């Protein structure tokens, strides 16, 4: 019989041996049965509480939307300066064409949409690398704004390179 002080121990009923019947052998492992010789120690700590609303595994506290918007605005002067430079260069290029402005306007809008996509990509990469991999907290969007401003400055220079009189003036100044 099993030990009566352990209510979880297996209780067996002894059957008297019958002639011609071989009793079954005990397996070393049976599902749901504790190993022999190892007393069960009761669990003293409780299971950790799980918030069913957050399955991302992110241990950082939830922040209000205003905090996120303020974070996105920090460094915005870089993007604004790049957009202003691209707009001025686009204006010089569009007016120099002396034609319909619908195609150049569409080109500029597509350039701005590409800059917005680049900004979003830079923010995503920053989140993956800085926050998830390195465990740092980003307090601004200056890096993403700087990348976007550099892109927009490059777009502006590309517009100027397509303007014939600007290229001839540049060549005259540099002596080419």
């Amino acid at each position: 019989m099993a030990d009566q002080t352990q209510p979880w121990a297996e209780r067996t009923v002894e059957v008297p041996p019958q002639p011609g019947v071989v009793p079954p052998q005990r397996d070393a492992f049976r599902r749901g049965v504790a190993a022999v010789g190892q007393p069960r120690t009761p669990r003293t700590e409780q299971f950790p509480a799980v918030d069913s609303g957050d399955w991302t595994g992110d241990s950082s506290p939830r922040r209000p939307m205003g905090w996120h918007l303020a974070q996105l605005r920090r460094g915005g002067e870089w993007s604004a300066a790049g957009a202003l430079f691209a707009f001025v260069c686009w204006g010089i290029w569009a007016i120099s064409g002396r034609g319909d402005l619908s195609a150049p306007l569409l080109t500029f809008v597509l350039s701005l949409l590409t800059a917005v996509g680049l900004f979003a990509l830079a923010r995503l990469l920053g989140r993956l690398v800085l926050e998830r991999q390195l465990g740092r907290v980003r307090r601004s969007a200056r890096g993403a704004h700087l990348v976007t401003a550099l892109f927009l400055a490059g777009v502006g220079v590309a517009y100027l390179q397509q303007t014939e009189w600007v290229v001839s003036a540049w060549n005259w100044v540099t002596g080419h």
Side-chain angles (χ1 to χ4, degrees), residues 99-119:
D100 187 24
L101 290 180
S102 61
L105 182 62
L106 179 65
T107 304
F108 185 67
V109 168
L110 289 176
S111 299
L112 289 180
L113 287 176
T114 305
V116 169
L118 181 65
F119 177 80

Side-chain angles (χ1 to χ4, degrees), residues 20-89:
V21 177
V22 178
Q25 295 182 350
R26 284 188 61 113
D27 293 338
F29 172 79
R30 289 193 327 179
R31 185 181 183 120
V33 177
V36 177
Q38 296 178 354
R40 181 178 179 269
T41 56
R43 180 180 287 273
T44 56
E45 78 244 10
Q46 294 293 325
F47 289 107
V50 176
D51 180 18
S52 61
D54 183 23
W55 292 99
T56 60
D58 189 12
S59 61
S60 63
R62 291 254 181 213
R63 301 195 195 296
M65 184 60 78
W67 183 86
H68 289 287
L69 291 177
Q71 185 185 24
L72 284 176
R73 284 188 203 109
R74 291 186 190 124
E77 62 274 0
W78 290 102
S79 290
L84 180 63
F85 179 75
F87 177 73
V88 169
C89 295

